[in-house]
């Protein structure tokens, strides 16, 4: 398993407010994608002049009533990393459901102590 991206991600019902704050902190939108997966997630990627990234995602239905700060972790082998996290007591916040799109595979994992990892593998076209 190789980690290819590692940065903070904020999951929120109010993405506009979070984007505005990070713009005030010097971040700029790199791209925005809407309608991701069955949960109809809007995903926003931001970057500052120092090369730091923050991702903001807004699912159509939040799994909890408050914002969640997580670690976005892209890997080259989703299944291997998913099993490693499960073996360490992590749980998928959506139960058995893994989000699969034509370009990615992901799961929202919560550790036994409560921190979150959004696990993603980008699917490369052959």
């Amino acid at each position: 398993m190789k980690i290819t991206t590692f940065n903070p991600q904020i999951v929120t019902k109010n993405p506009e407010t979070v984007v505005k704050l990070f713009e005030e902190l010097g971040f700029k939108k790199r791209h925005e994608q809407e309608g991701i997966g069955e949960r109809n997630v809007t995903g926003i990627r931001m970057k500052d002049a120092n090369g730091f990234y923050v991702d903001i995602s807004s699912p159509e239905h939040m799994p909890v009533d408050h914002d969640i700060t997580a670690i976005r972790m892209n890997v080259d082998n989703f299944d291997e990393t998913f099993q490693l996290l499960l073996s360490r007591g992590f749980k998928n916040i959506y139960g058995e459901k893994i989000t699969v799109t034509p370009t990615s595979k992901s799961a929202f994992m919560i550790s036994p102590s409560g921190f979150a990892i959004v696990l993603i593998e980008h699917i490369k076209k052959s």
Side-chain angles (χ1 to χ4, degrees):
M1 168 201 66
K2 177 181 171 189
I3 296 173
T4 58
T5 303
F6 195 86
N7 61 267
Q9 180 165 342
I10 300 167
V11 182
T12 181
K13 291 187 272 190
N14 302 302
E16 301 84 13
T17 303
V18 178
V19 167
K20 185 174 181 346
L21 169 65
F22 279 93
E23 286 174 337
E24 291 170 0
L25 292 169
F27 285 78
K28 293 185 178 8
K29 279 188 187 180
R30 300 262 302 165
H31 71 268
E32 183 172 344
Q33 185 177 1
E34 295 181 357
I36 303 168
E38 293 175 4
R39 280 175 269 299
N40 195 28
V41 175
T42 295
I44 301 164
R45 186 143 176 89
M46 300 183 79
K47 183 179 180 182
D48 79 351
N50 297 308
F52 294 114
Y53 287 92
V54 64
D55 291 298
I56 300 159
S57 64
S58 182
E60 187 172 42
H61 302 288
M62 284 285 289
V64 294
D65 291 335
H66 55 83
D67 290 354
I68 300 171
T69 303
I71 298 167
R72 172 186 169 150
M73 187 168 70
N74 287 26
V75 295
D76 67 345
N77 188 323
F78 177 90
D79 296 327
E80 177 186 2
T81 311
F82 185 75
Q83 290 305 316
L84 175 90
L85 293 175
L86 288 176
S87 75
R88 300 300 189 279
F90 279 76
K91 303 238 185 284
N92 184 344
I93 199 167
Y94 294 111
E96 299 296 317
K97 190 69 179 161
I98 292 171
T99 300
V100 179
T101 72
T103 59
S104 67
K105 190 175 193 180
S106 65
F108 196 127
M109 308 297 289
I110 303 291
S111 76
S113 64
F115 73 88
I117 293 178
V118 177
L119 178 63
I120 302 170
E121 177 184 351
H122 285 288
I123 300 168
K124 296 174 179 78
K125 294 182 182 179
S126 309

